[in-house]
């Protein structure tokens, strides 16, 4: 009924405004916002991040150790801490990624000098001293004030090892594991919200079939207890990309469905496939277009997996956990190919906006999402070099979009022109809107066209507008980025490119821009 009513509003407003523009040859770009009928909660956890033992994400990027000359709190660098707090990171996933299915947590507890080392076989083959382990990670989440998302080891671990990790972390009873935790300096159990049962077990996590993994997941999950008041949100390893068969296998069996709360999915955007990822900074419009095209596929991928989940779980009790997403380019020249270090430009900022708008729009099913990765790896929000730090354009988008966290999704209807490049076409705009618990409406939009300003009218239905303010992120070049020498080339500024009349906001979006509007209503 609610859907029908909204459809009626959207269609009637659309027809009205299109007919009023008859004779005008400009493309009709219109974003109708229905303000008085809020939809599902946009979980703050859609704005999560991912920090793997990979390259210099953990060692150097987050963890410098207590003896470092780089200012730190309990070994965690302060500049990174402040930057993560500012974007309100809601949850942080650790220790991998592929690394997770090689990680044995007991090697990372106890006196640092006594910890066993580990060779990071997936990422660069370097030897890590395990100085960053469970206690250090939990301290990081405390300092950022976010939920812990821990990824357990199915590929090379045991059921007992995983069960004991959960017990060590969250149990308040007297047991060998809790005594060990206390010996290591932590009296009280921690709270752990998210716990994943393996990572990419169809690939680096054990090369399993969906059937084999499903059986293992049922077994492992059986022993992941909820201790005291801690309630685990168990994440089963889901598919990547368009692997719908994997989702079907996990969802169809009630005995399997009963053992997890969320199903992960991984999707990375690539310019020309895995063998030709292209440079993060040296690119032309062809690569820009193909990146945007690849980004937009996230929507159809989510829709495909959602359709399967809807069949088996119409009540939407199981979440889709997009715990790895982002642009994957070639590493920066001269850096270790196993470290996945890439620069970040305004192209990545538009990518982030497109994804976050898609996740918002699917808030009924997408409970969690984690950008890959936090610092110095893939589409990171932060880059560091020794004691220097720079905030990437992607960081700025997360700062702008934090207002959507735990707000309610508003129904929107976007009709817009296409962005055409050499005969191929994609949508030129991306958008979503929400209303927070103070009644403020936030509208986030991105202009995917790097060469054309676009004007879009935004009728706000069901609310009387009092004031509108805005912020914008844009740049003069497609590959503009922030460097250690020039850290503020791409940054947000106040946005004045809009007009307001009779309940309609007319916004002029510069080429390659991300805009956030805040609308106060009467
Ligand atoms: O994020 C880098 C890697 O990509 C992760 O370790 C793995 O899960 C994925 O294949």
């Amino acid at each position: 009924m609610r859907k029908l009513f909204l459809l009626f509003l959207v269609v009637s407003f659309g027809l009205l405004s299109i007919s009023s523009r008859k004779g005008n040859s400009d493309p009709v770009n219109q974003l109708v916002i229905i303000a008085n009928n809020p939809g599902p909660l946009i979980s703050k956890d859609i704005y999560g991040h991912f920090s793997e033992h990979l390259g210099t994400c953990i060692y150097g990027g987050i963890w410098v150790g207590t003896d470092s000359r780089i200012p730190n709190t309990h070994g965690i660098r302060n500049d990174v801490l402040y930057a993560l707090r500012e974007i309100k990171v809601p949850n942080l996933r650790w220790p991998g990624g592929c690394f997770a299915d090689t990680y044995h947590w007991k090697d990372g507890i106890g006196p640092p000098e006594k910890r066993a080392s580990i060779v990071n076989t997936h990422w660069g083959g370097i030897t890590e001293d395990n100085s960053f382990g469970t206690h250090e990670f939990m301290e990081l989440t405390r300092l950022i004030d976010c939920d812990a998302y821990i990824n357990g080891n199915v590929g090379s671990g045991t059921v007992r090892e995983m069960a004991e990790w959960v017990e060590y972390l969250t149990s308040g009873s007297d047991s060998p594991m809790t005594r060990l935790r206390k010996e290591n300096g932590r009296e009280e159990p921690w709270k752990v919200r998210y716990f994943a049962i393996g990572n990419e077990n169809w690939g680096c996590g054990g090369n399993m079939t969906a059937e084999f993994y499903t059986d293992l997941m049922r077994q492992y999950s059986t022993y992941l207890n909820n201790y005291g008041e801690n309630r685990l949100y168990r994440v089963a390893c889901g598919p990547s990309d368009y692997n719908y068969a994997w989702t079907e296998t996990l969802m169809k069996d009630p005995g399997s469905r009963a053992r997890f709360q969320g199903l992960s999915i991984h999707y990375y955007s690539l310019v020309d496939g895995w063998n030709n990822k292209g440079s993060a900074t040296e690119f032309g419009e062809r690569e820009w277009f193909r990146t945007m095209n690849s980004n937009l596929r996230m929507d159809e991928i989510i829709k495909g997996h959602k359709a399967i989940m809807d069949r088996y779980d119409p009540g939407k009790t199981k979440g889709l956990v997009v715990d790895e997403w982002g642009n994957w380019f070639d590493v920066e020249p001269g850096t270790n190919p196993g470290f996945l270090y890439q620069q970040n430009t305004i192209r990545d900022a538009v990518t982030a906006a497109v994804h976050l708008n898609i996740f918002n729009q699917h808030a009924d099913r997408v409970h969690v999402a984690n950008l890959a990765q936090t610092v110095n790896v893939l589409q990171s929000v932060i880059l560091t070099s020794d004691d220097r730090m720079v905030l990437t354009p992607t960081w700025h988008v997360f700062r702008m979009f934090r207002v959507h966290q735990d707000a309610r999704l508003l129904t929107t209807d976007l009709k817009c022109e296409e962005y055409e490049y050499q005969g191929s076409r994609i949508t030129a705009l991306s958008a979503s809107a929400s209303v927070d618990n103070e009644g403020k409406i936030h509208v986030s939009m991105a202009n995917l066209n790097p060469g054309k300003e676009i004007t879009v009218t935004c009728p706000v239905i069901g609310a009387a507008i009092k004031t509108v303010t805005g912020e914008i992120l844009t740049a003069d070049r497609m590959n503009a980025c922030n460097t250690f020498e020039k850290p503020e080339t791409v940054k947000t500024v106040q946005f004045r490119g809009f007009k307001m009349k009779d309940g309609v906001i007319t916004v002029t979006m510069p080429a390659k821009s991300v805009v956030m509007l805040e609308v106060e209503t009467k």
Side-chain angles (χ1 to χ4, degrees), residues 50 52 54 97-98 123 199-200 266 268 324 328 373 378:
F50 168 36
E52 182 168 10
L54 199 176
C98 291
W123 308 116
N199 168 75
E200 297 195 352
H266 293 177
Y268 286 98
E324 290 188 30
W328 191 320
Q373 299 193 8
L378 300 176

